[in-house]
Amino acid sequence: AFVLPIVETLAKAQAGGGAAGGVAPRSLAPGRTPRVIVLAPTRELAKQVGADFELIGAAHGLATLCVYGGAPYGPQEGALRRGVDVVVGTPGRVKDHLERGTLKLSALAFRVLDECDEMLNMGFVDDVEKILAAGGADASSIQTLLFSATLPPWVKDISRRFLRPGHRTIDLVGSSKLKASASVRHLVLPCHWSQRAAVVTDVVRCYGAMGRSIVLTETKRDADELAAAVGEVLGARALHGDVPQAQREVVLQAFRAGRFDVLVATDVAARGLDISGVELVLQCEPP
């Protein structure tokens, strides 16, 4: 929804030698500062968005950098010194680079908050405000885009701080009571907590046998315990914030590649991940 039009606008400005969509052209010289900043609530989503920008932007000579916690600063700082056009990252690490002076946002044309309700719900409001304020005094030339799966009143109130008066809201849900896809079947299965592992295993066998399953838990401990219990019968791995970043990437890649069929995760997998072949999503606690 935003990678294609942003890359197209930047490419048109470069190719035409004049402003396109209000974006002025500039040379792709070493040391250039970003034209685009994208904020995402989780490392996994940031990496996914960054991969799309890398794939599409590379055709036009645009350099993309993904920054997130758990990865070393050195390579990220080296890339920023060499010059980038797009920075995708989690609010905490982006703010760290701003405070270290390694990231400058004075030449921005686009700012994107992806899954903004989740990001604000996770307590990133102050970080997001600091990052958006770093765009310079004249923010009128910067287009700010917020994408959100839900838009409760508190998100609307906070988002007004980040958007100009008269901004447009495009609602793809409307007043529909059924917010989930009409093609998805919903089941509620009450059970005692001691039976949970056995019920999850049975449900996955019954409803997830033709594809992959994601089991969402509230806590990291629950994720580890359920993955161990389900893993005795079915192939299962755990994914949560205490898993080292390098291992998280290995687990997600293995799940995408079909090397195991059940991913047991906390809210690090709650939003935005594009994984094909998922037939079943189980939530072990009410959201």
Side-chain angles (χ1 to χ4, degrees), residues 182-254:
S183 65
V184 175
R185 182 184 181 197
H186 295 265
L187 299 174
V188 179
L189 300 172
C191 76
H192 191 267
W193 68 267
S194 62
Q195 300 172 311
R196 189 171 56 176
V199 170
V200 167
T201 302
D202 286 347
V203 171
V204 169
R205 277 174 157 169
C206 182
Y207 293 102
M210 301 304 292
R212 288 164 219 158
S213 302
I214 297 178
V215 181
L216 295 171
T217 65
E218 186 71 25
T219 67
K220 302 166 188 174
R221 179 180 175 182
D222 281 344
D224 284 333
E225 290 177 354
L226 258 182
V230 175
E232 291 179 3
V233 183
L234 307 165
R237 302 276 290 278
L239 184 74
H240 53 70
D242 282 353
V243 177
Q245 181 59 35
Q247 183 62 24
R248 283 163 68 169
E249 293 171 17
V250 169
V251 169
L252 259 183
Q253 184 54 40

